[in-house]
Amino acid sequence: MARTESKMLPLGTKAPDFTLIDAVTNKPVSLKNIQGEKGTVVMFICNHCPFVKHVNDEIVRLSNDYRVTGFGFVAISSNDVINYPQDSPAEMWRTAQKYNYPFPYLYDETQEVAKAYDAACTPDFYLFDGELKLVYRGQLDNSRPGNGILVNGRDLREALDNILNNNSQRKDQKPSIGCNIKWKE
């Protein structure tokens, strides 16, 4: 299991726009379609990464908890499916069904969206406020496969709560750690 850290896009960065195909509905979904009134969470994930598998249940719980409070959620897979066929759109559909994803699961075939977000690993989390300015990026929580720490989404939940309660965000945001995005040659 390779351990790659987030690159930590600068806070205040405007969310890069995108329109990608949802692996579940096979329809295009744009940033505007999923943007929440309070904020928007963009997650770079994939099907085969053990770090993503470790947090899948929590990202479903977290998105179900916060969608009703005015946040939009989207997951994007940008991996090279030629060399990693387990991350193909058909497999994305299966994963979304298995976990009952309550958010679109989009396929970034050209990898341009991952590059625009400076995404480095899966999972990689970005929280934008209601004006689509980046206020949090980094880890879901301190849990990693095999470290014995319970997955609870603490870091991202705190950032979402800070928006809801008009509190300042932490300055000491920790990068996510996971598998590197599988870039095309």
Side-chain angles (χ1 to χ4, degrees), residues 3-16:
R3 296 172 84 82
T4 300
E5 283 192 1
S6 301
K7 290 186 181 176
M8 305 298 276
L9 192 66
L11 295 174
T13 298
K14 182 89 167 160

Side-chain angles (χ1 to χ4, degrees), residues 1-4 45-51 77-87 107-111 114-115 119-122 178-185:
M1 238 179 345
R3 296 172 84 82
T4 300
I45 65 172
C46 70
N47 303 326
H48 83 277
C49 172
F51 292 90
S77 179
S78 301
N79 279 356
D80 171 14
V81 300
I82 301 301
N83 291 311
Y84 298 88
Q86 62 270 47
D87 290 327
Y107 177 45
D108 180 18
E109 183 175 11
T110 66
Q111 300 184 319
K115 289 174 184 167
C121 61
T122 56
C179 299
N180 65 302
I181 290 181
K182 309 307 185 214
W183 301 105
K184 294 178 180 181
E185 293 179 19

Side-chain angles (χ1 to χ4, degrees), residues 22-111:
D22 183 353
V24 175
T25 65
N26 207 31
K27 292 186 163 85
V29 174
S30 70
L31 177 61
K32 184 190 268 186
N33 297 139
I34 56 93
Q35 181 180 354
E37 181 184 328
K38 296 281 186 187
T40 305
V41 175
V42 177
M43 305 173 276
F44 286 86
I45 65 172
C46 70
N47 303 326
H48 83 277
C49 172
F51 292 90
V52 175
K53 288 179 177 180
H54 182 69
V55 301
N56 254 326
D57 290 330
E58 178 57 21
I59 63 174
V60 168
R61 268 191 304 275
L62 184 145
S63 61
N64 281 328
D65 290 348
Y66 286 90
R67 283 181 319 136
V68 296
T69 64
F71 288 96
F73 288 82
V74 67
I76 300 172
S77 179
S78 301
N79 279 356
D80 171 14
V81 300
I82 301 301
N83 291 311
Y84 298 88
Q86 62 270 47
D87 290 327
S88 71
E91 293 301 320
M92 291 170 63
W93 181 89
R94 282 184 189 83
T95 298
Q97 297 302 311
K98 175 181 177 183
Y99 289 98
N100 198 23
Y101 283 171
F103 43 76
Y105 191 14
L106 311 181
Y107 177 45
D108 180 18
E109 183 175 11
T110 66
Q111 300 184 319

Side-chain angles (χ1 to χ4, degrees), residues 70 107 129 143:
Y107 177 45
D129 66 14
S143 184

Side-chain angles (χ1 to χ4, degrees), residues 152-167:
N152 59 17
R154 181 175 169 245
D155 293 51
L156 184 53
R157 285 177 181 276
E158 179 181 288
L160 290 158
D161 288 340
N162 285 338
I163 289 177
L164 287 174
N165 298 314
N166 294 315
N167 292 334

